[in-house]
């Protein structure tokens, strides 16, 4: 569990404060692969999925969409929506925007204030768990287990509504803590479909071996060495590891290395030869072959694509 949270990263966070009154309808075209967070600081709203399902949100409610995707925030279940980018927006400071969309003639009592954040959400070596998370996480259902979430939400709302020196940095750190709390609460509640993963992490023996892999992914691990970390026989360890994770220890290590490599190349811009050495490969060529076999593209192609995306931004 600690390894999972240590590998979690939030990057490219963009904050938006939306001030409006009913009726309203905002469309968020969050790209798949980026997470979206919404907090209703005042008033009420509905989250509407692409398939038409709706989820009511009251004052103080918050939701987290770990895989992003298109969705609406609307004043009524059948209210039409428009791209949030179409509304009048000004930059408050740094990466914080303020969107105002208040129809004429609406009474003050219907004021709605929504705080949103869009971000790259990465669990590092545990990235496959994101695909097994629910489409939307309701933060209210986690407050009993993670009571510190509520004051974090209030602090984020204050920083957005009344910007002060360093507000952007403070909000970024609050977002880190909030995301970690949400993920931890989900893990501790059972992790929905990711049962095998969490059973492995919670298993005292397998957990030690998995932790060792994550701490030293560049080591040339053998099954016998991992079994020794777990404190059981080689055959029992290999069988239990496969049954719980669905992967052999060797395949798990190979995929872990390539997920870390992608993170270091894409986000940390590390030289490919350095990444290869850190992950235990004798040559850059050997690393490149392994990388392409698992990811389907060469490290150079990934670096070039990441550079092009940053240039476009």
């Amino acid at each position: 569990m600690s390894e999972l949270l240590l590998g979690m990263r939030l990057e490219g966070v963009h904050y938006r404060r939306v001030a409006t009154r009913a009726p309203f309808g905002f469309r968020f075209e969050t790209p798949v692969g980026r997470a979206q967070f919404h907090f209703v600081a005042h008033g009420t709203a509905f989250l509407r999925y692409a398939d038409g399902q709706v989820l009511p949100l009251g004052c103080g409610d918050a939701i987290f969409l770990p895989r992003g995707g298109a969705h609406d925030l609307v004043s009524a279940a059948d209210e039409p929506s428009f791209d949030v980018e179409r509304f009048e927006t000004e930059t408050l400071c740094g990466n914080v925007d303020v969107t105002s969309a208040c129809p004429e003639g609406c009474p003050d009592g219907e004021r709605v204030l929504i705080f949103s954040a869009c971000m790259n959400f990465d669990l590092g070596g545990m990235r496959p768990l994101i695909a097994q998370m629910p489409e939307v996480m309701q933060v209210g259902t986690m407050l009993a287990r993670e009571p510190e979430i509520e004051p974090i939400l209030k602090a984020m709302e204050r920083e957005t509504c009344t910007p002060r020196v360093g507000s952007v940095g403070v909000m970024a750190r609050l977002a880190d803590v909030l995301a970690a709390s949400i993920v931890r609460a989900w893990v501790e509640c059972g992790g929905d479909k990711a049962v095998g993963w969490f059973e492995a992490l919670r298993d005292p023996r397998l957990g030690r071996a998995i932790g060792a892999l994550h701490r030293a992914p560049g080591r040339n691990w053998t099954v016998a060495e991992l079994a020794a970390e777990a404190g059981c026989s080689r055959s029992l360890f290999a069988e239990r590891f496969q049954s719980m994770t669905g992967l052999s220890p060797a395949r798990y290590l190979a995929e872990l290395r390539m997920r870390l490599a992608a993170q270091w190349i894409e986000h940390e811009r590390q030289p490919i030869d350095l990444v290869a050495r850190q992950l235990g490969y004798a040559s850059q060529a050997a690393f490149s072959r392994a990388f392409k076999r698992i990811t389907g593209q060469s490290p150079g192609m990934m670096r070039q694509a990441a550079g092009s995306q940053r240039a476009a931004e």
Side-chain angles (χ1 to χ4, degrees), residues 39 60 139 143 146-155 178:
F39 172 53
V139 178
L143 290 178
E146 299 285 339
E148 67 274 14
I149 287 178
E150 189 167 9
I152 293 172
L153 293 173
K154 294 294 186 183
L178 179 63

Side-chain angles (χ1 to χ4, degrees), residues 258-271:
M258 295 311 118
R259 289 194 298 271
L260 292 172
Q263 176 181 308
W264 296 343
I265 291 170
E266 281 188 295
H267 302 302
E268 299 183 13
R269 309 183 194 182
Q270 293 188 19

Side-chain angles (χ1 to χ4, degrees), residues 10 28 30-39 47-50 55 57 62-73 116-121 130 133-139 142 182:
L10 297 179
F28 290 82
T30 309
V32 174
R34 282 177 66 82
Q36 183 76 53
F37 168 80
H38 296 296
F39 172 53
L47 168 70
R48 186 170 61 206
Y49 300 96
L55 175 68
L57 301 172
I63 53 173
F64 183 63
L65 292 81
R67 294 187 300 279
H71 58 282
D72 301 330
L73 288 181
S116 297
C118 181
M119 66 205 78
N120 293 321
F121 176 48
I130 296 176
M133 290 180 174
E135 183 177 6
V136 61
M137 296 177 171
Q138 293 179 258
V139 178
M142 303 174 179
I182 291 170

Side-chain angles (χ1 to χ4, degrees), residues 15-97:
Y15 303 96
R16 182 188 299 272
R17 188 186 75 186
V18 179
T20 188
R21 296 190 181 107
F24 63 84
F26 302 104
R27 180 78 167 169
F28 290 82
E29 297 284 355
T30 309
V32 174
R34 282 177 66 82
Q36 183 76 53
F37 168 80
H38 296 296
F39 172 53
V40 182
H42 191 279
T44 61
F46 289 88
L47 168 70
R48 186 170 61 206
Y49 300 96
D51 63 4
Q53 295 185 66
V54 295
L55 175 68
L57 301 172
C59 182
D61 283 347
I63 53 173
F64 183 63
L65 292 81
R67 294 187 300 279
H71 58 282
D72 301 330
L73 288 181
V74 292
S75 56
D78 58 353
E79 188 70 32
S81 64
F82 303 92
D83 190 339
V84 69
E85 301 290 347
R86 289 179 49 184
F87 294 89
E88 180 182 346
T89 299
E90 64 175 317
T91 299
L92 192 63
C93 59
N95 55 347
V96 182
D97 288 342

Side-chain angles (χ1 to χ4, degrees), residues 243-291:
S243 66
M244 283 200 169
T245 68
L247 300 170
S248 69
R251 181 67 184 187
Y252 183 96
L253 176 58
E255 293 191 3
L256 169 63
R257 285 174 169 176
M258 295 311 118
R259 289 194 298 271
L260 292 172
Q263 176 181 308
W264 296 343
I265 291 170
E266 281 188 295
H267 302 302
E268 299 183 13
R269 309 183 194 182
Q270 293 188 19
I272 294 173
D273 60 339
L274 174 60
V275 172
R277 289 197 302 273
Q278 290 179 136
L279 293 175
Y281 288 89
S283 68
Q284 183 174 327
F287 164 71
S288 296
R289 288 193 296 270
F291 189 90

Side-chain angles (χ1 to χ4, degrees), residues 75-241:
S75 56
D78 58 353
E79 188 70 32
S81 64
F82 303 92
D83 190 339
V84 69
E85 301 290 347
R86 289 179 49 184
F87 294 89
E88 180 182 346
T89 299
E90 64 175 317
T91 299
L92 192 63
C93 59
N95 55 347
V96 182
D97 288 342
V98 176
T99 298
S100 298
C102 295
E104 294 292 335
C106 290
D108 291 342
E110 295 181 10
R111 183 173 65 93
V112 177
L113 182 63
I114 299 170
F115 167 74
S116 297
C118 181
M119 66 205 78
N120 293 321
F121 176 48
D122 194 354
L123 289 179
M126 305 297 287
R127 190 181 300 176
L129 286 179
I130 296 176
Q132 305 201 40
M133 290 180 174
E135 183 177 6
V136 61
M137 296 177 171
Q138 293 179 258
V139 178
T141 63
M142 303 174 179
L143 290 178
R145 187 175 291 273
E146 299 285 339
E148 67 274 14
I149 287 178
E150 189 167 9
I152 293 172
L153 293 173
K154 294 294 186 183
M156 294 179 81
E157 190 264 334
R158 285 195 301 271
E159 291 291 336
T160 306
C161 294
T162 311
R164 300 164 59 190
V165 175
S167 285
V168 173
V170 170
M171 285 192 292
R173 285 159 180 78
L174 289 172
D176 282 338
V177 175
L178 179 63
S181 299
I182 291 170
V183 172
R184 181 171 66 182
W186 177 68
V187 171
E188 291 180 344
C189 288
D192 299 335
K193 297 180 291 183
V195 174
W197 281 91
F198 294 130
E199 285 183 352
L201 289 173
R202 290 171 178 151
D203 184 290
R205 293 182 173 183
L206 288 186
R208 286 196 296 269
I210 291 174
L213 286 173
H214 282 254
R215 286 190 296 272
R219 178 173 167 178
N220 187 24
W221 290 98
T222 65
V223 176
E225 290 170 334
L226 290 171
E229 291 279 345
C232 58
S233 70
R234 183 184 184 282
S235 58
L236 177 62
F237 169 77
E239 179 183 351
R240 190 161 179 76
F241 193 99

